[in-house]
Amino acid sequence: MGSRLSTTSPICPSGVPIITMDTVAIDADLMRRFAPVVSSTSADAFLSGETLASLTLAEAPPLSVVWAPFDHMPSTARLVIVGITPGRQQAENALRAFRDALRSGAVLSEAGRRAKLTGSFSGPLRANLVSMLDHIGAHRALGVRGCLELFDPAREIVHFTSALRYPVFVAGQNYNGAPDMLTNPTLRRMVETLLAAEAQALPNALWLPLGPKPAAALRHLVRLGILDAARVLDGLPHPSGANAERIAYFLGRKAPEALSSKTNPQSIDAARDALRAQITRLTGEES
């Protein structure tokens, strides 16, 4: 693996580490530091007014990075699902769950666990993802009968994370990939510290990027020697319902002649074949 990246962070007047253009907060005590702010908030919305200001880790207008309780990482995880960054609604839900858990008397680690699991991957997205993972044989490499077993919250064998762990906003709106996270110094540092720390903690898990931006972040960690390329399942169609046609073709449920001009069957075939070959190699290595 590559050398460890520096995680030294400056301290703002309130005593909370902040992100600058050169460094990123990766303090293990962030939950403890922010717990009083969250537990004392009476409003339904956290990401506004004084509470938003208190939770803000970095500002480089129009970019801002805000803390939300997405730090929990199960050491038992066999699959890591990587999105781009938590959105505003996801952050609000997690902060609300964190506050409720703290007020009910939960210890900090349990409050963080409950917050992280709130709203984790459910509904059609989960069904699509499970079908595609089973279709390429991922259950064999993951040691389960079927990938639906991964989503049993009691077992915690799937870890949900983001290329940018904490919510990123551009002019107050959810970050959608611009500016590029690997060319923007603040965002790149988040990838090279926060995401890298997760990769180092879970070296034997399979890593599944959801979309081209998370895939680029994982490839960056591969180039740095932090993540093993053989364990990155790059090329699976995004499980969103908006991607229904590509998913149907990937699963063999739609014939190539029935596809619209927006779907390239050759690229999907190539990705599916490469993923199946990758799983076969992994299974052989681990058998």
Side-chain angles (χ1 to χ4, degrees):
M1 292 294 175
S3 60
R4 287 187 176 274
L5 296 156
S6 170
T7 58
T8 302
S9 301
I11 305 296
C12 70
S14 65
V16 178
I18 61 172
I19 299 172
T20 69
M21 294 302 288
D22 300 314
T23 59
V24 64
I26 190 170
D27 192 330
D29 293 330
L30 280 177
M31 279 200 298
R32 176 177 61 79
R33 292 175 183 271
F34 283 117
V37 173
V38 177
S39 62
S40 64
T41 299
S42 57
D44 289 335
F46 293 84
L47 301 184
S48 62
E50 292 183 3
T51 304
L52 173 61
S54 297
L55 294 175
T56 296
L57 289 168
E59 284 188 292
L63 192 76
S64 62
V65 182
V66 177
W67 184 83
F70 294 106
D71 302 276
H72 174 71
M73 179 177 61
S75 60
T76 50
R78 302 178 200 171
L79 176 69
V80 182
I81 298 175
V82 187
I84 184 169
T85 192
R88 181 178 297 273
Q89 190 58 55
Q90 188 181 358
E92 291 279 12
N93 290 342
L95 286 161
R96 191 171 299 110
F98 188 59
R99 179 185 63 187
D100 293 348
L102 290 172
R103 289 182 176 180
S104 72
V107 298
L108 200 60
S109 59
E110 174 60 17
R113 188 188 73 86
R114 294 184 197 176
K116 182 68 178 291
L117 295 175
T118 298
S120 289
F121 235 64
S122 57
L125 271 73
R126 178 186 297 184
N128 289 338
L129 183 58
V130 165
S131 295
M132 289 189 290
L133 287 171
D134 283 341
H135 195 61
I136 62 172
H139 57 288
R140 301 197 312 273
L142 293 165
V144 293
R145 290 172 296 180
C147 286
L148 186 60
E149 291 184 22
L150 298 170
F151 295 89
D152 178 354
R155 299 179 68 188
E156 286 199 288
I157 54 178
V158 61
H159 171 47
F160 302 95
T161 192
S162 300
L164 305 170
R165 182 190 298 178
Y166 302 125
V168 174
F169 302 106
V170 179
Q173 301 301 309
N174 288 340
Y175 172 77
N176 63 5
D180 187 278
M181 69 177 72
L182 296 179
T183 58
N184 179 276
T186 297
L187 302 184
R188 186 181 68 247
R189 196 66 179 163
M190 291 178 72
V191 172
E192 293 178 348
T193 53
L194 297 168
L195 187 62
E198 295 181 54
Q200 291 171 321
L202 298 170
N204 297 318
L206 295 183
W207 288 71
L208 176 65
L210 297 181
K213 299 299 182 179
L218 294 184
R219 287 195 296 270
H220 184 61
L221 296 187
V222 168
R223 287 193 296 270
L224 293 176
I226 295 169
L227 189 60
D228 182 359
R231 308 201 73 81
V232 179
L233 301 178
D234 192 359
L236 206 71
H238 194 289
S240 166
N243 219 13
E245 184 175 74
R246 297 185 76 243
I247 294 169
Y249 182 72
F250 186 92
L251 294 172
R253 296 174 181 170
K254 192 165 188 176
E257 58 270 17
L259 297 174
S260 70
S261 59
K262 296 180 180 180
T263 299
N264 183 335
Q266 289 78 23
S267 64
I268 296 175
D269 289 340
R272 182 180 55 239
D273 292 346
L275 285 164
R276 284 177 169 168
Q278 184 178 356
I279 293 296
T280 298
R281 289 193 298 272
L282 286 167
T283 303
E285 292 167 3
E286 298 173 1
S287 61

